[in-house]
Amino acid sequence: MAISHQTRWLLTATGLIIVATAIIVSRANQPTRRIAPLVADFRVGGAAPALSGATLAAQTDTLQISVAPQALPANASIEAITAELHTALAYVSARTATAPAGPITVLILADPHCALHGAAYTQTREAHVYTCAAIAPERAVNILAHEFVHQLAHDHYGDAHLRSDPILLEGWATWGAGYYWLGRHATFRAFLGGQAPLPLVTNHLGRPAAEMNTLYYQWASFVEYLLLTYGRDAFDRLYRSGDGTAGSADYQGVYGVDIATLEAEWRAWLGSK
Ligand SMILES: [Zn+2]
């Protein structure tokens, strides 16, 4: 396990700086077009980068939010972002039926290349998003909704979370972010519209952002399918059974069906609507 963790951490760190691309969605009840979140990483172990020169924006029972200089547009309302982050945490907590086990530290950091991305350090309860003044703050909130689900997964599954199958790890975080990644769509199946070009068992690390993004949406849809078909209790057993590599969860043992068969059934379900 230690080797697996280390390897995974290094690969994730290497692949962390990723340029955002463009799946466009419209958020429900909002006329402006917006761009869906793209890359939201999860990190196992390791120290979070230090933040210097930050403004402590808000400190509450559940969230401690700091904003680095140049991270947000000059006219951004910290109060509005703080309120939206609380809304996001409450939303993902309800959607995943998991309450946070403690406060979460949120760092909104400036990426010098304006590459929007995030990371969760769940052992130290930190969620980071890298953004810049040219990016709408709502997109950083979308990324953080995903990172919050990683924290809730740690709170719910414990250490098993750290070695879970990436299909489930990232699929759950993306599915859990729901509205924040779906825009006007009600479900991930609807979002995909029958399009799922990548195999489910794919190593996502180091891939171009657009491919990683596609994979995250596919995995979220697969999680959606598993939850609808087999329920949450079985999903929880599955989530705890992985070894950190894609496809490693015990699909056969938990569902009595192997991953290849599940994928075929999921694809048929995707295309049936
Ligand atoms: Zn993630």
Side-chain angles (χ1 to χ4, degrees), residues 239-258:
Y239 194 101
R240 292 188 174 97
S241 69
D243 73 2
T245 58
S248 64
D250 187 11
Y251 299 92
Q252 180 73 52
V254 173
Y255 296 144
V257 185
D258 65 17

Side-chain angles (χ1 to χ4, degrees), residues 45-261:
L51 174 61
S52 60
T55 305
L56 183 64
Q59 184 161 354
T60 64
D61 289 340
T62 51
L63 293 176
Q64 298 172 339
I65 303 165
S66 296
V67 182
Q70 323 297 316
L72 295 173
N75 64 351
S77 163
I78 301 296
E79 291 73 21
I81 292 164
T82 297
E84 188 62 31
L85 286 173
H86 280 90
T87 299
L89 180 59
Y91 170 87
V92 301
S93 185
R95 186 167 161 90
T96 60
T98 311
I104 301 170
T105 299
V106 175
L107 300 188
I108 301 176
L109 301 157
D111 185 274
H113 306 292
C114 268
L116 180 67
H117 61 283
Y121 302 86
T122 59
Q123 290 163 303
T124 53
R125 314 194 66 77
E126 291 185 39
H128 295 187
V129 66
Y130 294 80
T131 183
C132 73
I135 295 176
E138 291 86 347
R139 294 183 63 199
V141 173
N142 294 344
I143 294 282
L144 285 167
H146 172 109
E147 306 303 343
F148 288 163
V149 182
H150 281 313
Q151 185 62 58
L152 297 178
H154 192 123
D155 293 346
H156 184 67
Y157 298 110
D159 286 347
H161 167 68
L162 300 174
R163 57 177 181 275
S164 58
D165 182 333
I167 294 173
L168 307 177
L169 178 93
E170 296 300 349
W172 178 246
T174 302
W175 178 86
Y179 168 83
Y180 290 92
W181 282 54
L182 285 167
R184 64 184 170 84
H185 298 282
T187 65
F188 285 91
R189 176 162 71 159
F191 186 100
L192 289 179
Q195 302 298 309
L198 298 172
L200 282 180
V201 181
T202 296
N203 179 10
H204 62 300
L205 301 175
R207 287 189 164 262
E211 276 186 34
M212 195 183 283
N213 202 51
T214 298
L215 204 51
Y216 278 26
Y217 277 97
Q218 287 189 202
W219 287 348
S221 166
F222 184 59
V223 164
E224 189 173 74
Y225 171 76
L226 295 178
L227 290 170
L228 286 169
T229 307
Y230 300 99
R232 175 67 187 273
D233 288 348
F235 181 82
D236 281 358
R237 292 197 299 279
L238 184 73
Y239 194 101
R240 292 188 174 97
S241 69
D243 73 2
T245 58
S248 64
D250 187 11
Y251 299 92
Q252 180 73 52
V254 173
Y255 296 144
V257 185
D258 65 17
I259 179 71
T261 306

